[in-house]
Amino acid sequence: MKHILRAILLSIVVGLAAAMDNLSTAERSAETCGDPDDTLAWYRLYNANLVTYSYTTDVPLVTTLILGNGYALQTIMGMVFVTQEESTVPCYFLSSPALEDNFVTINATERDVAIANGYALLPALQTYIYPSAICGSIPMYRLYKSAQTLNFFTTSESERLSAISSGGFSDLGIAGYVLPAGVAASC
Ligand SMILES: *[C@@H]1O[C@H](CO)[C@@H](O)[C@H](O)[C@H]1NC(C)=O
Ligand SMILES: *[C@@H]1O[C@H](CO)[C@@H](O)[C@H](O)[C@H]1NC(C)=O
């Protein structure tokens, strides 16, 4: 009888601990995400003359790139932070006018290698994104066409597949995770 009671008590304690563990996991997940209301739309632009993509949340810069620099607006990649929030990491923006290439990376080693190879780090274009699929974020794919030293990023699975099958790009995997376009509260 004593053994049975002890076994019952033990199972209650274990169950309680598991339930509390779940509770704290749920509480933590809300706390460890950035506030979607703080995100901005991340625009992708393309310059067909330079064969260069660019990415920015800065609307006046989008206008300048279109009106003065031969870029066309292509899409909104997703929603990103411009200051660091819970669980996000810096997404560095690297630019090489000589190679006519821009790319982003969350990998600090790759950033440093690129700088050593003549790319400039542009802090004004740095964003903050998730390093894994948390907080409702979606993958941002990276593609590369070595013939043109052309980095290309997309959150569209169909665009990714057609870049590989007919655009001459190779698949460099997932560069990071952004919130899908339109999640921020409209204001
Ligand atoms: C804890 O969560 C998991 C999955 O979210 C669930 O399968 C499990 O039953 C939960 N445990 C308790 C004690 O609530
Ligand atoms: C970061 O970049 C370096 C240099 O390109 C590479 O060797 C390394 O595998 C990368 N790390 C990750 C986690 O992708």
Side-chain angles (χ1 to χ4, degrees), residues 80-143:
V80 296
F81 298 94
V82 291
T83 54
Q84 190 157 25
E85 295 210 8
E86 276 308 294
S87 303
T88 66
V89 295
C91 182
Y92 306 105
F93 188 103
L94 292 129
S95 178
S96 170
L99 295 172
E100 293 172 351
D101 183 45
N102 297 319
F103 76 92
V104 297
T105 182
I106 62 173
N107 180 336
T109 307
E110 188 186 15
R111 172 200 63 191
D112 293 343
V113 169
I115 292 169
N117 287 322
Y119 280 80
L121 179 67
L122 302 186
L125 293 178
Q126 184 169 315
T127 61
Y128 296 85
I129 66 175
Y130 292 110
S132 57
I134 55 173
C135 304
S137 60
I138 57 168
M140 172 175 69
Y141 304 105
R142 180 174 177 178
L143 300 122

Side-chain angles (χ1 to χ4, degrees), residues 48-65:
N49 296 323
L50 299 177
V51 192
T52 305
Y53 292 93
S54 197
Y55 312 86
T56 182
T57 59
D58 184 341
V59 173
L61 178 59
V62 168
T63 308
T64 301
L65 288 172

